[in-house]
Amino acid sequence: MDSILLVFICMLAGVGLQRVKAFPKNAYVALNQFVIYISLPALALYYIPKIAVSFKLLYPLGVAWIGFLLAFLFFFTLGRAMGWSKKLTGCLILTAGLGNTSFVGFPIIEALYGKEGLQTAIIVDQPGTFVVMATFGIMVAAAYSRGAVGTSAIIRKIVLFPPFIAFFTAIFMNVAGYDFTDSLQSVFQRLGSTVTPVALVAVGMQLKIERKSRHWGFLGLGLFFKLIIMPAFFFVLYKLAIGAEWLAIDVSVMEAAMAPMITASILASSHGLKPRLSGMMIGVGIPLSFLTLALWYWILQF
């Protein structure tokens, strides 16, 4: 429960800082960069060397990898058909394609399914959502951002992106069976734990919910996809088509129903992909997801 309180307190703190004159209006830019250059690389270097690879990962992993592909196909096709800007399409792919499987997901899954369910949630998040964000998420952000002209420019943005460098360093360590000393691991864990408070304060500082905003239609579509269509897809695929009935399947469906990923919003914002809409996807999506999660938990009981 304390993790959920942290989400709301930090977001409200960010909203409050909008009225504090001592803070520059663009202070959230520095916070975004701190998350990207410090917090996310630290997370990768702490968690990825510890991941044990096995076939048991396949179902939970599918939530992140297949889910992101589904979002890409959905919004790419719709964006082309409707004549959307690249920034809008990229924003919706990132924020509707990646779920908040850890900071909101972990406490909810542990409360509903206990420690066993939490083990599955960690698989969904670390080799799943986090790795997708650090690879395909960065690719989408680079490809759809301003100034990304041509393949070489996109590749340069991806290769030089700090979480991407940290991700491949951590993958190499995992394959080599090597991890950092306990002291360094403790440092990386503490730096990585700053993702939630810093990112949410930054989101709150950008959050401006205007009644007459032109983003409401896109917000509704993005949240409908993330909170309803994506979990429905995995419910049909895992529960009905495959017919799997074990606990990990229910946890996987619930994780698919989580609100948009906080760091996906930061990634979109830092690349100029509709920062206001990406902030609204988090600010509106997180509280709304508590209602839709209750619905999916009820459905999974039958």
Side-chain angles (χ1 to χ4, degrees), residues 60-222:
L61 281 177
V63 170
W65 292 89
I66 298 173
F68 190 78
L69 176 61
L70 185 67
F72 179 84
L73 293 174
F74 182 85
F75 290 109
F76 175 81
T77 303
L78 195 58
R80 279 288 184 90
M82 302 296 291
W84 292 351
S85 68
K86 289 180 64 177
K87 292 179 182 179
L88 174 59
T89 302
C91 175
L92 289 173
I93 291 172
L94 286 172
T95 54
L98 292 165
N100 200 325
T101 51
S102 58
F103 307 118
V104 175
F106 286 176
I108 290 177
I109 294 300
E110 186 173 15
L112 295 176
Y113 298 101
K115 293 294 184 183
E116 187 179 353
L118 184 59
Q119 292 174 5
T120 300
I122 291 171
I123 294 172
V124 174
D125 182 70
Q126 290 304 312
T129 305
F130 183 82
V131 174
V132 173
M133 185 278 299
T135 52
F136 289 112
I138 295 169
M139 292 179 190
V140 168
Y144 284 85
S145 65
R146 58 176 175 263
V149 182
T151 304
S152 61
I154 294 173
I155 292 174
R156 187 162 53 252
K157 282 192 173 188
I158 294 169
V159 171
L160 297 178
F161 197 65
F164 192 76
I165 296 170
F167 164 70
F168 269 101
T169 302
I171 285 290
F172 177 79
M173 292 173 61
N174 185 297
V175 173
Y178 174 79
D179 205 347
F180 293 103
T181 63
D182 291 343
S183 297
L184 275 176
Q185 288 185 51
S186 177
V187 170
F188 289 139
Q189 185 180 28
R190 292 182 182 185
L191 288 173
S193 68
T194 62
V195 167
T196 300
V198 176
L200 280 170
V201 169
V203 167
M205 293 182 72
Q206 298 172 81
L207 186 60
K208 291 180 174 63
I209 300 177
E210 302 169 3
R211 293 179 61 184
K212 296 183 179 180
S213 173
R214 57 192 176 89
H215 293 313
W216 281 108
F218 301 119
L219 175 69
L221 177 63

Side-chain angles (χ1 to χ4, degrees), residues 248-276:
I249 298 299
D250 286 1
V251 172
S252 297
V253 174
M254 288 293 289
E255 283 281 58
M258 292 296 164
M261 185 184 192
I262 297 165
T263 45
S265 172
I266 295 295
L267 187 61
S269 177
S270 66
H271 282 76
L273 305 180
K274 300 293 181 183
R276 190 164 294 181

